[in-house]
Amino acid sequence: MTSVLISGASVAGPVLAFWLRRAGVDVTVVEKADRVRGGGYPIDLRGVAVDVVERMGLLEPIEAARTGTRALTFVSERDRTIASLTTETLLGEQSIRAIELPRGDLTEVLWEATRHDVEYVFDDRITALDDRDDGVHVSFRRGGPRVFDLVIGADGLHSGVRGLTFGPEAPFRRDLDACYAAFSVPNVFGLDREAVMMNVPGRSATLYAVRDQPVTALFSFAGPTPTLDHRDTEGQLRLVEHVFGGLGWRVPDLLVRMRRAEDFYFDTVSQIRMPSWTRGRVGLVGDAAFAPSFRSGQGTSIATVGAYVLAAEIAAHPDDVRAALPAYEARVRGFATANQDLATSGARITSPATPLQLWTRNALLRSLPALERLGVPSQGGAIGRAANALTLPEMPVPALVP
Ligand SMILES: Cc1cc2nc3c(=O)[nH]c(=O)nc-3n(C[C@H](O)[C@H](O)[C@H](O)COP(=O)(O)OP(=O)(O)OC[C@H]3O[C@@H](n4cnc5c(N)ncnc54)[C@H](O)[C@@H]3O)c2cc1C
């Protein structure tokens, strides 16, 4: 195997590209955006995902980009503080290795670590894949046709490679009956390295303030998945205004700012669950294969680990794609599923749906500091177990083969 095409230059794509280059494979990454997408909300690397970036020699720049979030404060619609907790108290993270950093900082570090020896093609996408005996024949929207030994979709929840190889998204998408809208707003709230979350039953508004960057605002709401066109931004804006209209706290101001935001993003809260992530010489990794939804808090970690294991199996079976891909799948499946399952318990904290659930959640939050002092494990026990539920294989090729 000498040439691999990866679709998607976010987290899974560049991690896979990094390790495949170490294995002496020629790597091309095609990305539909015109550059690596920066900005965005804070994400987490936890457990074995931290070991992966350490093996890449990237722990230092990633540590340097830590958000340093001091507290997550839960407030009522009338701006009364319910509880203000450190992430360590909330998630019990003392027991696991964990780094929270802005998503754009991570993608920048990964891009910087790969851009010199990986061919990046921006502003393009795959339009057809034909898996033949001599390789996968690939057509692009802009570039000319090419042939690769292997094609990997690392192109997110709405993966184009998955669509071309496995068919429509619907049978693989598990909607968690909620939607979210995310956008940046200037930090006019006086927030400093902290997050504030306001909940009413079935709806939440959150502000994440990271160092000197704009604040990320996140609206999330429960309800049947609306049938909205992904390109219908006006329809999405109106839906959010309708669902959040009339709420207190900072919501009226945020709704005005949402209309002015240049990076408004709307989607359903969904997972991808597939019986198989590979077919012939085509495979999927990261959100494209096993998106866990942001409620799990583990999407970035499992994308990172999945990409590392995939590269390790390709390096271990350099002449046999048909052995490498199933071996990757066998190693990662249990780990991915355990982390996807965290989305259910995460929702109890971030998205209580009824007045009773909200009351119970608030009582739990108020008791967490005392429980921590008593040594009672919190939600973090489950996150720690899932984040470490895989033993990393050794990469058989430590040095870069030019
Ligand atoms: C609001 C929000 C909050 C989140 N919070 C957290 C969190 O706290 N902790 C956490 O760990 N995770 C979080 N996540 C999830 C995390 O962002 C993803 O799980 C993670 O980024 C997965 O990485 P990926 O590389 O697989 O896919 P993505 O990051 O989705 O990247 C896919 C890439 O493929 C490109 N692409 C898409 N389609 C095509 C195409 N057809 N052709 C070419 N390129 C294409 C995209 O432009 C993008 O660059 C959150 C996600 C969201 C949306």
Side-chain angles (χ1 to χ4, degrees):
M1 197 178 336
T2 58
S3 64
V4 174
L5 172 66
I6 300 168
S7 174
S10 175
V11 177
V15 171
L16 178 62
F18 178 98
W19 287 107
L20 288 180
R21 276 303 294 140
R22 293 291 178 282
V25 176
D26 288 336
V27 184
T28 302
V29 179
V30 59
E31 163 61 51
K32 73 174 181 186
D34 57 9
R35 57 180 301 274
V36 171
R37 294 160 83 160
Y41 42 86
I43 51 85
D44 301 277
L45 289 169
R46 297 197 182 101
V48 283
V50 181
D51 300 339
V52 170
V53 296
E54 187 169 33
R55 289 183 186 196
M56 295 168 82
L58 299 177
L59 198 52
E60 205 181 307
I62 285 175
E63 288 269 15
R66 264 185 193 275
T67 53
T69 300
R70 295 177 302 125
L72 174 56
T73 303
F74 295 85
V75 296
S76 70
E77 200 187 343
R78 293 189 181 158
D79 206 13
R80 295 224 176 91
T81 298
I82 293 151
S84 189
L85 305 166
T86 64
T87 40
E88 287 79 13
T89 301
L90 186 63
L91 302 174
E93 279 185 348
Q94 307 89 325
S95 51
I96 46 168
R97 296 181 90 189
I99 304 171
E100 183 188 63
L101 73 162
R103 188 195 153 279
D105 288 10
L106 177 61
T107 52
E108 188 64 34
V109 168
L110 295 173
W111 148 250
E112 203 40 59
T114 49
R115 69 191 181 95
H116 299 292
D117 52 8
V118 166
E119 178 194 15
Y120 276 92
V121 180
F122 289 103
D123 194 17
D124 206 352
R125 67 173 74 190
I126 300 168
T127 53
L129 293 170
D130 185 7
D131 188 355
R132 298 189 206 160
D133 287 346
D134 62 337
V136 190
H137 293 241
V138 185
S139 306
F140 296 91
R141 187 169 60 87
R142 287 158 57 92
R146 292 170 68 175
V147 181
F148 295 88
D149 293 329
L150 177 65
V151 174
I152 299 294
D155 43 3
L157 183 68
H158 305 296
S159 167
V161 171
R162 189 180 59 235
L164 291 170
T165 310
F166 296 88
E169 181 175 297
F172 308 123
R173 200 174 89 191
R174 185 184 289 188
D175 290 321
L176 302 185
D177 291 331
C179 297
Y180 70 91
F183 51 96
S184 301
V185 290
N187 190 353
V188 292
F189 314 100
L191 299 174
D192 176 23
R193 290 168 294 134
E194 61 193 306
V196 187
M197 174 179 270
M198 188 283 294
N199 290 87
V200 295
R203 288 172 284 178
S204 71
T206 311
L207 294 172
Y208 294 98
V210 177
R211 299 195 309 268
D212 50 356
Q213 301 185 3
V215 169
T216 301
L218 185 71
F219 285 129
S220 165
F221 59 97
T225 305
T227 42
L228 270 188
D229 184 339
H230 274 293
R231 289 152 299 189
D232 180 11
T233 307
E234 181 54 35
Q236 296 162 358
L237 286 164
R238 281 213 205 114
L239 177 64
V240 178
E241 285 166 346
H242 173 71
V243 172
F244 284 84
L247 283 189
W249 193 58
R250 299 180 193 277
V251 170
D253 179 35
L254 287 172
L255 288 176
V256 173
R257 293 180 187 280
M258 177 177 79
R259 282 240 158 226
R260 290 189 219 136
E262 287 174 2
D263 57 353
F264 173 80
Y265 184 80
F266 181 93
D267 209 342
T268 57
V269 181
S270 306
Q271 299 187 330
I272 295 295
R273 304 250 187 176
M274 303 179 70
S276 172
W277 304 327
T278 65
R279 183 170 289 172
R281 291 166 176 269
V282 180
L284 303 171
V285 69
D287 272 11
F290 39 74
S293 89
F294 72 85
R295 281 190 188 163
S296 76
Q298 285 294 93
T300 308
S301 293
I302 60 175
T304 302
V305 173
Y308 173 89
V309 174
L310 175 54
E313 294 298 349
I314 292 170
H317 304 88
D319 304 317
D320 193 356
V321 174
R322 287 170 214 280
L325 296 187
Y328 143 71
E329 190 155 342
R331 238 186 232 275
V332 176
R333 184 162 286 278
F335 172 71
T337 306
N339 283 282
Q340 288 183 309
D341 290 347
L342 291 172
T344 317
S345 46
R348 283 188 211 119
I349 300 291
T350 59
S351 319
T354 64
L356 179 62
Q357 286 176 7
L358 182 58
W359 185 89
T360 313
R361 192 280 313 254
N362 289 348
L364 172 72
L365 293 177
R366 289 191 186 103
S367 65
L368 276 179
L371 291 175
E372 186 186 32
R373 280 194 296 277
L374 293 170
V376 178
S378 69
Q379 149 91 348
I383 294 177
R385 278 192 298 282
N388 284 307
L390 182 142
T391 305
L392 290 179
E394 288 309 314
M395 193 64 66
V397 279
L400 179 64
V401 182

